[in-house]
Amino acid sequence: MPVAVVTDSTAHLPEGFAERSDITVVPLHVLVDGVSSLDGVEFGPSALASALAQRKIVTTSRPSPAAFAAAYRNALDAGADAIVSIHLSKKLSGTWEAALLAAQEVGPDLVRVVDSRSIAMGLGFAVLDAAEAAGRGHDVAEVERAAVAAAEASDTFFAVETLEYLRRGGRIGAASALLGTALAVKPVLHMTDGEIRPLEKVRTMHRALNRLVDLAEEAAGDGEVSVAVHHLAAPDRAAAIATRLDERLSGSLGCVVSELGAVIGAHTGPGVVGVVVHRRFR
């Protein structure tokens, strides 16, 4: 176990993936009416959907540097020689900064911290590729390069019912330009340069979902791709999109469906559907 891989709960890896790939996941915090819980451990998607439906105040916060430092020390104590720690975009959260502070405490020569500049499986595919490189015995520099390359080879698109949740959480970035017409449109957003930005605006959610499929096909091109579909409280929508992507993407190596956890879901709201396309280079 020369190189250990660490990430945070916003990767939303499908169930069992972290355990099979020996990935350590450090959870973010979710606060509901001021009561704190651990994302994905003590508080999941169904609890989030219920809290939002009851109009409770849901906010989120990063893990502490101490939580990351503990994860790093546990990995080193278990036999790791080095660690690659990969996290959601530093433009969206202080998580990367907390991990960096912990790395400096534990040993900057032992821990490399990577900004994926993405979220959800845009981060998750980077984590999985890094874990695969580590499993093959690659050194820490090669594992870090695998994470960076995978993050750069992924495109993330999503459609939301409303921009209100992103506005409340301050995660909207350049998409704030859409707020004036937010009630009249269904925004299609994407991750670019580490930020959530508007891509298109359409009149109905049906059209927005159709655009997600088209955009995924354009991003995939003719090569081999791995695909993830995310949702919050919209399993039928997600399943329908996954089926269509399997039909449309000739180079698909498989599509996983994962419900968003509380941290991302709190900022997008129920009904959101996202698609991540990860181009594979062989």
Side-chain angles (χ1 to χ4, degrees):
M1 187 181 172
V3 181
V5 175
V6 176
T7 189
D8 60 73
S9 57
T10 67
H12 294 307
L13 297 170
E15 187 174 354
F17 276 44
E19 293 79 3
R20 287 197 297 272
S21 299
D22 202 22
I23 297 164
T24 297
V25 179
V26 178
L28 275 74
H29 297 268
V30 184
L31 293 89
V32 179
D33 288 345
V35 178
S36 180
S37 302
L38 295 177
D39 180 35
V41 178
E42 302 168 333
F43 194 89
S46 60
L48 171 66
S50 175
L52 293 176
Q54 296 174 48
R55 299 187 177 275
K56 293 184 177 181
I57 298 173
V58 181
T59 58
T60 62
S61 64
R62 72 182 191 180
S64 67
F68 281 116
Y72 298 158
R73 291 192 176 101
N74 286 341
L76 294 170
D77 290 344
D81 297 325
I83 298 163
V84 175
S85 195
I86 313 156
H87 302 288
L88 81 160
S89 175
K90 65 182 179 183
K91 293 184 178 181
L92 299 179
S93 168
T95 300
W96 176 89
E97 181 183 14
L100 188 63
L101 290 171
Q104 293 170 346
E105 176 187 336
V106 173
D109 56 327
L110 297 174
V111 184
R112 301 196 181 193
V113 181
V114 176
D115 174 12
S116 74
R117 299 167 66 84
S118 192
I119 54 174
M121 281 298 289
L123 163 61
F125 284 126
V127 173
L128 291 173
D129 277 17
E132 181 179 356
R136 292 179 176 175
H138 291 259
D139 64 25
V140 65
E142 292 170 319
V143 173
E144 181 183 29
R145 280 195 293 271
V148 172
E152 292 176 347
S154 295
D155 287 305
T156 301
F157 310 98
F158 57 103
V160 295
E161 290 279 7
T162 173
L163 289 170
E164 179 61 22
Y165 295 99
L166 284 163
R167 184 195 65 78
R168 289 180 194 172
R171 300 315 201 269
I172 201 166
S176 59
L178 294 176
L179 277 175
T181 55
L183 296 178
V185 302
K186 300 302 180 185
V188 178
L189 310 171
H190 68 149
M191 287 295 304
T192 183
D193 194 29
E195 295 182 321
I196 298 170
R197 294 184 179 177
L199 186 60
E200 297 177 5
K201 47 186 178 181
V202 297
R203 290 295 179 183
T204 67
M205 197 63 178
H206 177 73
R207 290 181 180 178
L209 296 176
N210 286 340
R211 285 301 294 145
L212 288 183
V213 175
D214 292 341
L215 290 164
E217 186 174 27
E218 293 169 13
D222 297 327
E224 292 185 338
V225 293
S226 295
V227 183
V229 176
H230 293 296
H231 72 95
L232 177 63
D236 292 341
R237 282 180 178 174
I241 293 295
T243 298
R244 292 176 64 188
L245 290 172
D246 281 338
E247 295 170 350
R248 292 271 293 270
L249 304 184
S250 60
S252 175
L253 300 173
C255 179
V256 296
V257 177
S258 173
E259 190 162 18
L260 290 170
V263 170
I264 295 179
H267 295 296
T268 57
V272 61
V273 175
V275 177
V276 182
V277 177
H278 176 45
R279 293 175 295 280
R280 313 294 304 198
F281 301 103
R282 295 180 185 274

